[in-house]
Amino acid sequence: FCEKKAPKEAEAQPKPSPDNTANVSGVRWANWKSVAAMGVAGAAVVLYYNYEKERVLSETKITVTGKPALGGPYSLIDAVTGERVNSSDYHGQYTLLYFGFSKCPDICPAELNKMGRALDMMDKHEELPTVIPIFITIDPKRDTPERLRAYKKDYHPRLVCLTGSNEEIGKASKAFRVYFSAPAGDDEDYLVDHSIFFYLMGTNGEFLEYFGKNLSAEEVAHKMMRTLRTDLAERSMKA
C-alpha cells in the first residue's frame, strides 16, 4: 500500500514591517516632488523662451526701418537707337523699371500691359511728371536689339527696351536684387525663372517704391501717384 503523506502547511508570508511601509511611501512622495519640480522648471523655461522671443521680435521690428537699398548705376544698350545709355542719362526724370524677357509666355506680357494701363491712368493727371517705363532684359542671349525693337511695339509707346552683355545685365540685376535663372547649354527653347516687380526711381536715380505682381493696374497707379506727390512735396520743401 502506498503511504499517504499529509499535506504541507502553507508557509507563512512575512508581513511588511511599519518601517518598510514608511520607506515606500517616502520614496513615492519624493518621486512626486521631483516630477513637480521638473514641471515647474520646464514651465519657467518655456515662459522665459517666449519672453525672449517676443523681446527679440519687438526689437527687430523697431530696427527694420527705411527704404530697401535697391538700385544703382547701370550701362546698357538702347534697342531702338543701338546706343549705350547710362542710368545717369535718366536723371531729371522719373523711371519705372521692369526686368523680364521677350519670350516669356504670359507673366511678362501681363505685367507690361499692367504697367501701360497704370501709366495711362497717371497721364490723366497733368500736375504729375511723366514717368519713363524701362524694360531690361534678363535674357541677353536671345533678346537682341532687333528682337526687342519688334517686341516693344506691343506695349506702351514710351517703353524703352535695354539689353547688354551677360555681365552688364548681371550687374544691373544685382543692383536691384532681381533674381533670375536660365538653363545652361545651347538649347534656344527655354524659359527664365525670375522675380516680378516694378521699381519706381526718382530724378536722381534713387529708389522710391516697388510694386509686386499682386497689385492691379489701378493699385499701381494710385500708389505711384501718392509716391510722386510725396517726393515732389519733399523736394519743394528742400528747395
Side-chain angles (χ1 to χ4, degrees):
F1 295 96
C2 293
E3 192 177 13
K4 292 184 178 181
K5 295 183 179 180
K8 294 182 178 180
E9 293 183 2
E11 296 181 359
Q13 298 294 327
K15 296 181 179 180
S17 66
D19 291 342
N20 289 340
T21 303
N23 289 339
V24 172
S25 300
V27 171
R28 289 176 179 172
W29 174 242
N31 287 341
W32 279 111
K33 286 170 64 178
S34 299
V35 171
M38 291 175 62
V40 171
V45 170
V46 171
L47 290 173
Y48 179 75
Y49 170 78
N50 290 334
Y51 166 77
E52 283 296 304
K53 179 180 177 183
E54 292 298 324
R55 183 182 66 80
V56 171
L57 286 176
S58 64
E59 289 179 356
T60 302
K61 291 175 183 177
I62 293 172
T63 56
V64 178
T65 57
K67 295 179 181 178
L70 295 174
Y74 57 83
S75 180
L76 299 169
I77 301 298
D78 188 312
V80 172
T81 65
E83 297 179 355
R84 181 165 295 279
V85 295
N86 301 312
S87 52
S88 59
D89 294 334
Y90 297 104
H91 286 188
Q93 303 177 85
Y94 291 94
T95 57
L96 187 63
L97 278 65
Y98 176 74
F99 290 77
F101 65 111
S102 67
K103 289 198 174 184
C104 179
D106 44 22
I107 298 297
C108 293
E111 290 300 291
L112 288 175
N113 281 323
K114 181 172 73 176
M115 175 189 278
R117 294 196 304 274
L119 292 173
D120 286 340
M121 294 178 201
M122 286 190 56
D123 288 345
K124 295 177 182 179
H125 297 263
E126 297 181 356
E127 77 280 6
L128 293 176
T130 299
V131 176
I132 306 299
I134 299 177
F135 174 86
I136 298 179
T137 182
I138 52 174
D139 185 22
K141 177 181 178 181
R142 295 180 298 181
D143 282 344
T144 61
E146 294 77 15
R147 179 172 180 81
L148 290 179
R149 280 199 296 270
Y151 183 71
K152 74 181 297 294
K153 293 178 182 178
D154 294 330
Y155 302 106
H156 197 276
R158 288 201 303 271
L159 183 65
V160 175
C161 290
L162 302 179
T163 186
S165 67
N166 288 328
E167 293 74 18
E168 291 166 342
I169 295 298
K171 182 179 179 180
S173 300
K174 185 177 181 180
F176 286 86
R177 300 185 186 179
V178 173
Y179 161 80
F180 70 94
S181 177
D186 298 328
D187 189 2
E188 291 290 327
D189 186 16
Y190 59 85
L191 296 177
V192 181
D193 186 24
H194 63 96
S195 52
I196 306 165
F197 292 99
F198 299 153
Y199 302 91
L200 179 63
M201 310 302 291
T203 55
N204 290 323
E206 76 279 14
F207 168 78
L208 294 180
E209 188 58 270
Y210 70 91
F211 312 93
K213 178 177 176 291
N214 59 310
L215 297 181
S216 66
E218 291 77 13
E219 289 171 325
V220 171
H222 292 156
K223 192 174 181 180
M224 190 156 41
M225 287 188 287
R226 184 169 63 249
T227 302
L228 288 182
R229 290 191 175 103
T230 299
D231 187 65
L232 290 170
E234 291 177 353
R235 291 180 180 279
S236 177
M237 291 176 63
K238 293 177 182 179

